[in-house]
């Protein structure tokens, strides 16, 4: 039995019937203050009154209070759903009905009313729903689907059977398999289904998050795809088996093998020779032994190779060097046939069109900078060692080198850095010298002084990273930054800079006459002297401060 309305409650109901809604709200509010008041009933009446005044946020608040005070009273759910319908939010109202049906016990006397209202609203919403892919022309639908990730495409197959048929029969959608976004381990049966949807003609495959037991079968299915161009494996598997499975895929342009796949150094030549169309290769675990150093040179001709990434997981020692020796890049020279006008002159020599080279943990030779192709645009050297103390004095010009990244390389000092930055006369736009402990702040300034005469193009940098550079503090920051007027991103992580650096760089964004550049991004991870106030100060002035 619900309590009998109090005098104030009854007065509010009469005022509501007369249309005096503001006075009714006052009466209901006073009624709520009385002891032993029917709070749910009063809130229900006040919410209805707020709806008459189109104050839906107040009405929704009262309805939610009703649900909190009495979860097994259907009035709270009914009132909240009515308010949401008045606000043109039928989806939310349907959720409230569903939640109420979940909470109310099966024997509740008014549960049937809520079930009817839920079904009525659900049917009405279904009538208004139309499948966009059945209404759009096929060409338009294909343009929309192009923006979906592979994970999205797999997910929408489960929406309904019509979508499963529609998307499942579009072979173009299954030409690129990317399992990197999978939340759970992918079984081989799913891989087989994806390949079948492409009719076995897929061109790109990224295998990640595969169940360990599913890896052999998944690779077997993939190796049967004759048009495969992009092979990316982030799985634990034997390289010999991978090579045997894919050596017949003559269309391969990109090969990326994770650190879990050890590639013997001696197999490099065979791997590169087998795929004449290769444009990009990334091997994150090249394995060598003392008996194989110097073996595995590049083939005589790789005219399409543009990007090389080699990394080793083995420890580096420098005397004698036992780290992986980079295959001599000069062995990839392509010799052009002599022309009739050349006479007895030697034929010209051309390097392969290499644009990107990334080496992690590898030993480099003293002639490294003299044998790189002049087409190089991106060069990243991390870890590793140099085979000798030579200063790279045979450096040639790299007129296209815009990105140079040096990290944790003990051979980087004032001499080698000068030759790589200035001797190459590279038009650098991105320069990273991170954790190179033989290059201090003073050494870096010497490099810049030499660059002012021999390679002024370096002062057009837009991104500079000097992580953990010795001696780098606030005053040195100013000496460096004033020389790079176009700088937009700066990484000073693990240096001795303080909040003063952030404040100075933040103020420079608002002061056109400042000598400091107008930065967009500043990274100060691991800078112990940087305060939270300075970080907030920088962000308030539009500087993106990364901590």
């Amino acid at each position: 039995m619900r309590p009998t309305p109090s005098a104030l409650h009854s007065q509010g109901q009469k005022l509501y019937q007369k249309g005096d809604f503001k006075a009714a709200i006052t009466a209901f509010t006073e009624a709520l203050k009385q002891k032993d008041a029917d709070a749910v009933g009063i809130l229900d009446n006040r919410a209805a009154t707020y709806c008459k005044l189109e104050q839906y946020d107040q009405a929704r608040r009262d309805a939610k209070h009703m649900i909190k005070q009495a979860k097994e009273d259907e009035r709270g759910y009914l009132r909240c759903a009515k308010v949401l319908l008045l606000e043109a939010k039928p989806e939310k109202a349907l959720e409230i009905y569903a939640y109420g049906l979940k909470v109310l016990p099966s024997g509740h006397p008014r549960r049937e009313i809520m079930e009817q209202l839920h079904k009525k609203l659900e049917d009405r919403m279904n009538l208004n729903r139309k499948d966009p892919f059945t209404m759009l022309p096929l060409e338009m639908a294909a343009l929309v689907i192009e923006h979906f990730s592979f994970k999205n495409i797999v997910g929408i197959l489960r929406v309904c059977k019509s979508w499963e048929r529609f998307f499942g029969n579009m072979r173009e959608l299954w030409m690129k398999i990317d399992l990197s976004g999978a939340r759970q381990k992918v079984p081989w049966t799913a891989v087989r289904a994806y390949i079948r949807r492409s009719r076995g003609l897929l061109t790109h495959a990224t295998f990640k998050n595969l169940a360990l037991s599913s890896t052999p079968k998944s690779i077997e299915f993939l190796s049967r795809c004759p048009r495969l161009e992009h092979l990316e494996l982030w799985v634990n598997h034997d390289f010999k088996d991978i090579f045997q499975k894919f050596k017949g895929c003559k269309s391969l342009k990109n090969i990326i093998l994770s650190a879990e796949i050890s590639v013997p150094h001696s197999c490099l030549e065979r791997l590169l020779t087998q795929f004449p169309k290769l444009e990009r290769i990334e091997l994150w675990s090249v394995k060598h032994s003392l008996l194989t150093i110097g073996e595995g040179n590049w083939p005589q001709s790789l005219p399409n190779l543009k990007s090389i990434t080699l990394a080793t997981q083995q420890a580096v020692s420098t005397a004698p060097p036992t780290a992986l020796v980079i295959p001599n890049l000069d062995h990839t020279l392509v010799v052009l046939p002599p022309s009739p006008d050349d006479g007895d002159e030697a034929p010209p020599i051309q390097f392969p069109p290499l644009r990107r080279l990334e080496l992690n943990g590898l030993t480099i030779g003293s002639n490294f900078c003299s044998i790189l192709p002049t087409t190089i645009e991106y060069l990243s050297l991390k870890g590793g060692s140099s085979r000798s103390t030579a200063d790279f004095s045979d450096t040639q010009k790299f007129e296209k080198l815009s990105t140079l990244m040096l990290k944790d390389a003990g051979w980087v000092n004032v001499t080698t850095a000068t030759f790589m930055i200035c001797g190459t006369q590279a038009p650098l736009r991105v320069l990273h010298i991170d954790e190179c402990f033989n290059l201090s702040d003073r050494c870096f300034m010497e490099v810049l002084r030499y660059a002012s005469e021999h390679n002024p193009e370096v002062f057009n940098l837009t991104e500079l990273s000097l992580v953990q550079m010795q001696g780098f503090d606030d005053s040195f920051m100013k000496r460096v930054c004033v020389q790079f007027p176009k700088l937009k991103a700066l990484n000073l992580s693990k240096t001795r800079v303080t909040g003063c650096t952030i404040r100075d760089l933040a103020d420079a964004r608002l002061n056109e006459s400042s000598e400091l550049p107008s930065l967009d991004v500043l990274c100060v991870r691991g800078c112990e002297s940087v305060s939270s106030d300075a970080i907030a100060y920088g962000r308030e002035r539009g500087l993106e401060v990364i901590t």
Side-chain angles (χ1 to χ4, degrees):
M1 292 290 293
R2 291 172 181 169
T4 304
S6 63
L8 282 172
H9 189 179
S10 298
Q11 181 185 355
Q13 291 174 335
K14 291 177 182 179
L15 291 169
Y16 175 87
Q17 293 171 359
K18 291 180 181 180
D20 192 353
F21 302 123
K22 291 185 179 180
I25 287 176
T26 302
F28 290 136
T29 303
E30 291 297 323
L32 283 172
K33 297 178 182 178
Q34 292 183 324
K35 189 177 181 180
D36 299 329
D38 178 15
V40 175
I42 297 172
L43 287 170
D44 190 18
N45 291 155
R46 191 170 71 171
T49 311
Y50 277 130
C51 289
K52 290 293 184 180
L53 295 173
E54 297 184 356
Q55 297 179 8
Y56 300 120
D57 55 339
Q58 301 285 356
R60 197 176 347 103
R61 184 187 63 183
D62 281 354
K64 289 181 177 179
H65 281 314
M66 293 170 64
I67 295 174
K68 287 181 180 179
Q69 291 195 16
K71 288 191 174 182
E72 294 190 2
D73 193 320
E74 81 288 348
R75 288 178 291 177
Y77 306 106
L78 296 175
R79 178 59 62 190
C80 190
K82 285 182 180 179
V83 175
L84 290 168
L85 288 172
L86 289 171
E87 292 183 285
K89 297 178 180 178
E91 295 85 0
K92 295 291 184 181
L94 195 67
E95 291 178 6
I96 290 296
Y97 283 139
Y99 179 68
L101 290 172
K102 183 179 179 180
V103 174
L104 294 181
S106 57
H108 195 281
R110 294 180 61 92
R111 179 184 175 86
E112 186 177 352
I113 296 176
M114 192 177 296
E115 289 176 346
Q116 293 174 356
L117 291 171
H118 179 270
K119 187 176 186 309
K120 183 178 179 180
L121 178 58
E122 189 176 39
D123 293 343
R124 189 174 71 188
M125 291 177 64
N126 288 333
L127 288 175
N128 294 329
R129 288 178 179 172
K130 294 181 180 179
D131 188 347
F133 295 109
T134 60
M135 299 182 64
L136 289 173
L138 184 59
E139 295 79 6
M140 292 292 293
L143 289 175
V144 173
I145 296 168
E146 285 180 359
H147 296 280
F148 292 173
S149 66
F150 185 77
K151 180 181 177 181
N152 297 146
I153 294 172
V154 173
I156 61 180
L157 290 179
R158 306 187 185 98
V159 173
C160 59
K161 291 184 178 179
S162 61
W163 280 22
E164 182 182 7
R165 289 191 297 270
F166 181 78
F167 287 100
N169 293 326
M170 294 184 67
R171 186 180 65 184
E172 294 76 11
L173 291 182
W174 306 94
M175 302 298 279
K176 297 181 179 181
I177 296 178
D178 186 355
L179 306 181
S180 58
R183 294 182 179 178
Q184 299 177 343
K185 296 297 182 181
V186 180
W188 64 267
T189 51
V191 175
R192 181 182 61 182
Y194 302 151
I195 294 176
R196 285 179 175 177
R197 292 183 188 277
S198 73
R199 312 292 192 272
L201 299 178
L202 80 161
T203 59
H204 291 62
T206 300
F207 277 10
K208 198 173 185 179
N209 300 316
L210 273 179
L212 184 60
S213 58
S214 296
T215 300
K217 286 188 176 180
S218 299
I219 290 178
E220 173 67 30
F221 292 134
L222 185 60
S223 66
R224 299 173 186 174
C225 300
R227 297 186 182 180
L228 189 64
E229 297 179 2
H230 180 95
L231 175 63
E232 189 170 349
L233 301 178
W234 297 91
V235 296
N236 189 350
H237 199 64
D238 180 55
F239 169 75
K240 292 182 180 179
D241 184 63
I242 293 174
F243 182 79
Q244 289 297 323
K245 292 285 197 305
F246 292 96
K247 65 180 182 180
C249 298
K250 300 300 182 181
S251 299
L252 269 177
K253 295 180 180 179
N254 302 321
I255 298 178
I256 302 173
L257 303 181
S258 72
E260 295 179 291
I261 303 173
S262 293
V263 181
H265 182 207
S266 57
C267 294
L268 282 175
E269 182 176 2
R270 186 171 45 159
L271 176 64
L272 295 168
T273 307
Q274 193 66 39
F275 306 106
K277 295 184 179 180
L278 198 63
E279 296 180 3
R280 173 188 173 194
I281 184 169
E282 291 186 17
L283 307 178
W284 291 96
S285 181
V286 182
K287 187 178 180 180
H288 73 281
S289 68
L290 292 175
L291 300 177
T292 60
I293 289 182
E295 299 178 6
N297 295 319
W298 302 118
Q300 291 296 319
S301 176
L302 283 173
N304 301 310
L305 191 61
K306 298 179 178 66
S307 177
I308 302 173
T309 298
L310 298 179
T312 182
Q313 307 300 312
Q314 293 173 292
V316 176
S317 62
T318 56
T322 58
L324 175 64
V325 179
I326 298 170
N328 294 326
L329 293 178
D330 51 354
H331 283 195
T332 64
L333 299 180
V334 178
V335 181
L336 299 180
S339 64
D341 299 333
D342 288 338
D344 296 332
E345 294 183 4
I349 295 177
Q350 290 187 346
F351 285 92
L354 188 65
R355 297 177 185 174
R356 182 185 178 99
L357 177 62
E358 184 173 357
L359 305 172
N360 295 350
L362 278 70
T363 299
I364 64 174
S366 58
N367 64 337
F368 178 72
C369 289
S370 64
I371 64 176
L372 283 178
T374 56
T375 52
I376 197 77
E377 299 174 5
Y378 178 105
L379 179 60
S380 175
L381 306 174
K382 299 179 181 179
S385 64
S386 175
R387 294 194 66 188
S388 69
T389 58
D391 55 11
F392 303 150
S393 56
D394 295 331
T395 298
Q396 60 181 327
K397 294 182 180 180
F398 296 131
E399 298 179 350
K400 297 183 179 180
L401 182 61
S402 60
T403 300
L404 176 61
M405 296 186 175
L406 307 173
K407 181 177 181 180
D408 190 23
W411 53 267
V412 175
N413 52 38
V414 64
T415 304
T416 54
T418 299
F419 277 107
M420 296 200 74
I421 296 173
C422 306
T424 59
Q425 296 188 15
L428 294 177
R429 295 296 178 268
V430 178
L431 175 62
H432 290 202
I433 305 180
D434 299 334
E435 301 175 7
C436 296
F437 300 110
N438 289 323
L439 188 72
S440 64
D441 56 339
R442 295 181 179 180
C443 295
F444 186 65
M445 289 306 299
E446 289 185 28
V447 174
L448 295 184
R449 279 194 291 270
Y450 191 83
S452 62
E453 297 181 9
H454 298 86
N455 187 21
E457 187 69 23
V458 75
F459 297 107
N460 291 321
L461 285 179
T462 58
E463 181 179 329
L464 177 63
S465 179
L466 301 173
V467 175
Q468 209 166 350
M469 178 168 281
Q470 296 182 30
F472 203 110
D473 55 16
D474 295 329
S475 61
F476 184 68
M477 180 279 299
K478 293 182 180 180
R479 294 174 60 196
V480 170
C481 288
V482 294
Q483 303 195 52
F484 300 102
K486 298 182 180 180
L487 202 62
K488 293 298 180 183
L490 179 63
N491 187 353
L492 302 179
S493 298
K494 300 180 182 179
T495 60
R496 295 189 300 175
V497 296
T498 68
C500 295
T501 285
I502 298 179
R503 293 177 184 274
D504 291 341
L505 292 172
D507 291 339
R509 290 177 53 85
L510 306 178
N511 185 2
E512 295 181 358
S513 61
S514 174
E515 294 182 347
L516 295 176
S518 178
L519 283 186
D520 293 331
V521 181
L522 175 64
C523 185
V524 288
R525 289 194 179 104
C527 297
E528 298 178 354
S529 300
V530 171
S531 65
S532 58
D533 291 341
I535 295 172
Y537 182 88
R539 289 172 177 171
E540 288 174 359
R541 281 151 183 76
L543 179 62
E544 182 182 349
V545 183
I546 301 175
T547 58

